[in-house]
Amino acid sequence: TGQKLPPGGGAQTLDLTLIGFAAVEGTVTVAGVPAAQATVVAQSKGGGDQYAAVQVSDGKFVIDRLPAGAYRLSAILAGGAGTGSSAGVDVTLAAGARATVTIAIEVGDVSVVVSATPKPGAVLDAFQVFLLRGVVSATNADELTQLVLGRTDARQALVAADQAARLEKVVPGGYTLCALPITGDLNDPAFAVLLQQHVKELRVYCQRAEIAASPLEQSVTIELPSMVPLSE
């Protein structure tokens, strides 16, 4: 473990407590079948940066020598980033012990096609859409990014306003659909930098979306205003 030293030039006496190591093993399944290929990532939940990543072999994985503590274990299929082809579980590891977990990845067969229409008088050049399972709330791009980082089921896409965003492998259920309108040229590097500098000012707009088991392709439309003007 670690401690911060108080300011001052004098000698300091510290008591350090060593954290024992633990291990975790488990199985990753996809639609109930052991995963042929996947990556399992262990991320510390205690505010530290301890993490480990291992490859799954025939659905099985083992991570040795993790400091004891609370972790989030995420299993990600190859090519699954942003598509929802992932899942996670929380586990608390005790020093000297080996925990066993199962991470079950749901893979749906529904495609959700999202179109955006500008509100009267709005100028819309592009939009970024996020589909999150359950009821979530966000008012700006920074809040939405934090929500997405904390989840493994998020799907997202960035498209021109005259195109539709296609989100694949969606499991039926209740979702929140959030969209970020973009007014400007994404091919302009200066504009792209401006977006990154003002994530807390970029407004997002969310609505509930119920995804049924059929048909296998479903359409959703969201109405968007112009992007809030950003200062240089």
Side-chain angles (χ1 to χ4, degrees):
T1 185
Q3 297 184 32
K4 291 184 177 180
L5 291 175
Q12 302 290 334
T13 300
L14 296 176
D15 293 325
L16 298 178
T17 302
L18 298 179
I19 298 176
F21 285 103
V24 60
E25 64 182 14
T27 303
V28 178
T29 63
V30 181
V33 178
Q37 292 184 334
T39 301
V40 175
V41 178
Q43 181 80 42
S44 172
K45 296 185 67 178
D49 57 357
Q50 299 103 339
Y51 68 94
V54 297
Q55 298 298 311
V56 169
S57 176
D58 296 326
K60 303 293 185 182
F61 71 91
V62 177
I63 304 178
D64 289 313
R65 294 185 63 78
L66 281 173
Y71 289 85
R72 177 71 175 179
L73 299 181
S74 301
I76 306 169
L77 296 183
T83 69
S85 299
S86 57
V89 297
D90 295 328
V91 62
T92 299
L93 305 179
R98 179 180 292 263
T100 302
V101 301
T102 297
I103 306 176
I105 298 176
E106 292 184 272
V107 178
D109 52 6
V110 177
S111 295
V112 179
V113 180
V114 183
S115 300
T117 59
K119 288 188 173 182
V123 177
L124 191 63
D125 295 311
F127 69 100
Q128 188 170 15
V129 63
F130 299 80
L131 189 66
L132 302 172
R133 198 160 191 179
V135 179
V136 299
S137 177
T139 60
N140 60 55
D142 182 61
E143 293 175 357
L144 187 55
T145 298
Q146 297 305 314
L147 284 174
V148 172
L149 289 176
R151 304 170 65 104
T152 59
D153 62 350
R155 297 159 177 81
Q156 58 182 290
L158 174 63
V159 297
D162 59 354
Q163 298 178 2
R166 189 177 183 88
L167 307 176
E168 306 278 1
K169 299 180 180 180
V170 177
V171 177
Y175 288 84
T176 300
L177 179 73
C178 295
L180 164 66
I182 297 174
T183 306
D185 184 5
L186 288 174
N187 293 317
D188 179 359
F191 179 68
V193 170
L194 191 65
L195 292 178
Q196 293 295 324
Q197 292 175 338
H198 295 272
V199 289
K200 292 185 178 181
E201 299 173 33
L202 294 171
R203 302 287 295 178
V204 298
Y205 305 87
C206 300
Q207 66 185 42
R208 296 284 291 130
E210 289 292 331
I211 307 302
S214 64
L216 295 183
E217 181 170 305
Q218 300 172 38
S219 298
V220 179
T221 300
I222 188 167
E223 189 179 46
L224 295 173
S226 297
M227 185 184 76
V228 174
L230 304 177
S231 57
E232 295 290 342

